[in-house]
Amino acid sequence: MDTLEAPRTILRTSSRICVLTGAGVSAESGIPTFRGPGGLWRNFRPEALATPAAFARDPILVWEWYQWRREIIAAAQPNAGHFALKELEARAAAFTLITQNVDGLHQRAGSRNVLEIHGSIWTVRCTVCGKQQANHDVPLPALPPRCACGGLLRPGVVWFGEGLDTQVWHNAEKAVRAAELLLVAGTSAVVYPAASLVPLAKSSGAQVVEINLDETPISDAVDFSLRGASGQILTELLQ
Ligand code: BJW
Ligand code: ZN
């Protein structure tokens, strides 16, 4: 495990900074992660629910999972890690926050340049007419929710086997290619293409700093791997 000293200097001297966040950053807000302890809902793995096939088979079951998560997220508050990243954006000349999280907590903490590469739990999309709209209902009036056209609504998120929004992904890659520093916080780095941003940053000449409670598949490939809770480490990094 590395110490904070060198990453702190890199943070201070980098003008183009990118951050990739995952569920671990919201864990300290009480939002369950996908994998690991407490990451399961009714014994389902995320791979069994976050797929178009699962939704086609049982839309009510999938919506019950999202409803449960919406309730937790709506009651949660951004934590020290979210606020530290907001502060970092204010200090950096160029800053892009690429998040796999769908909870909207970065924006609620005040972050502005946020790319939600896996979409947002607060949007819904019609499976018939394709209309996408914001929806903050907690609880939803009925499951499964329906569009004005009568079609089934689905969460506005990216499931396994689905492509990411092309423009959002293009912007993420562009920001990473231009970055001097990529901070990777609270992600197991097993889901692609999000995890591919790490080798992209390395091959584009950026320094990569990982923050995680545990070792991950990218820990050996990054320049600095910091072990601990993201709220504490991000706060200390900025001091
Ligand atoms: C803390 C902490 C604290 C805890 N402080 N740390 C290349 C290779 C292999 C497979 C593929 C590949 N390319 C594509 C694939 C297939 C697939 C994939 O990646 N599969 C792998 C799992 C094997 N990818 C896709 O299907 C993607 N689409 C795609 O590639 O499209 C092109 C295509 C189209 C058609 C056919 C083929 C290709 C889409 C992926 C979508 C992922 N969607 C989900 C659900 C989103 C909606 C929702 O939220 O419901 O996204 S799955 C879930 O995993 C969610 C997350 O964003 C994502 C990543 O999870 P994350 O954030 O890393 O969370 P955890 O729980 O895994 O980890 C938490 C971490 O935090 C842990 O490390 C803890 O230690 C740590 N932690 N507390 C610091 N306090
Ligand atoms: Zn519709």
Side-chain angles (χ1 to χ4, degrees):
M1 192 186 83
D2 297 300
T3 63
L4 286 174
E5 210 178 321
R8 225 184 237 142
T9 307
I10 297 168
L11 206 73
R12 218 179 24 245
T13 54
S14 298
S15 47
R16 293 183 306 280
I17 299 176
C18 266
V19 182
L20 172 66
T21 62
V25 165
S26 291
E28 289 158 72
S29 295
I31 299 172
T33 60
F34 291 92
R35 298 164 187 87
L40 293 182
W41 176 75
R42 292 194 203 162
N43 292 326
F44 289 100
R45 290 179 304 110
E47 287 80 359
L49 292 167
T51 70
F55 188 69
R57 201 166 42 238
D58 195 343
I60 294 180
L61 175 74
V62 173
W63 263 117
E64 281 173 346
W65 183 46
Y66 280 94
Q67 171 103 308
W68 172 73
R69 292 172 56 200
R70 276 178 167 227
E71 283 168 4
I72 294 171
I73 294 165
Q77 298 301 327
N79 64 58
H82 296 108
F83 289 117
L85 292 173
K86 179 234 167 183
E87 173 65 27
L88 188 58
E89 179 167 18
R91 293 188 197 179
F95 181 92
T96 306
L97 205 176
I98 302 162
T99 188
Q100 299 169 82
N101 299 344
V102 300
D103 55 33
L105 285 183
H106 287 302
Q107 293 91 330
R108 279 173 57 193
S111 288
R112 289 286 160 260
N113 195 20
V114 181
L115 298 175
E116 294 180 305
I117 60 173
H118 290 164
S120 167
I121 202 166
W122 302 115
T123 64
V124 292
R125 188 166 73 247
C126 178
T127 55
V128 175
C129 71
K131 187 179 169 199
Q132 177 135 335
Q133 55 193 307
N135 178 309
H136 289 265
D137 295 346
V138 178
L140 286 150
L143 293 188
R146 295 206 171 261
C147 177
C149 84
L152 196 60
L153 290 172
R154 58 161 282 174
V157 301
V158 183
W159 285 327
F160 286 113
E162 295 183 320
L164 279 56
D165 180 282
T166 322
Q167 192 59 51
V168 172
W169 180 247
H170 171 79
N171 290 342
E173 285 192 317
K174 190 174 162 196
V176 167
R177 274 200 201 94
E180 292 159 77
L181 166 65
L182 174 67
L183 270 180
V184 183
T187 176
S188 56
V190 296
V191 171
Y192 282 80
S196 72
L197 293 173
V198 173
L200 178 65
K202 284 308 310 160
S203 64
S204 308
Q207 303 255 28
V208 181
V209 177
E210 175 184 52
I211 300 166
N212 201 300
L213 286 179
D214 296 321
E215 197 171 323
T216 74
I218 61 162
S219 298
D220 286 340
V222 301
D223 297 284
F224 300 95
S225 195
L226 306 175
R227 283 289 168 281
S230 54
Q232 186 186 342
I233 303 245
L234 283 166
T235 305
E236 287 179 5
L237 265 182
L238 262 73
Q239 278 161 7

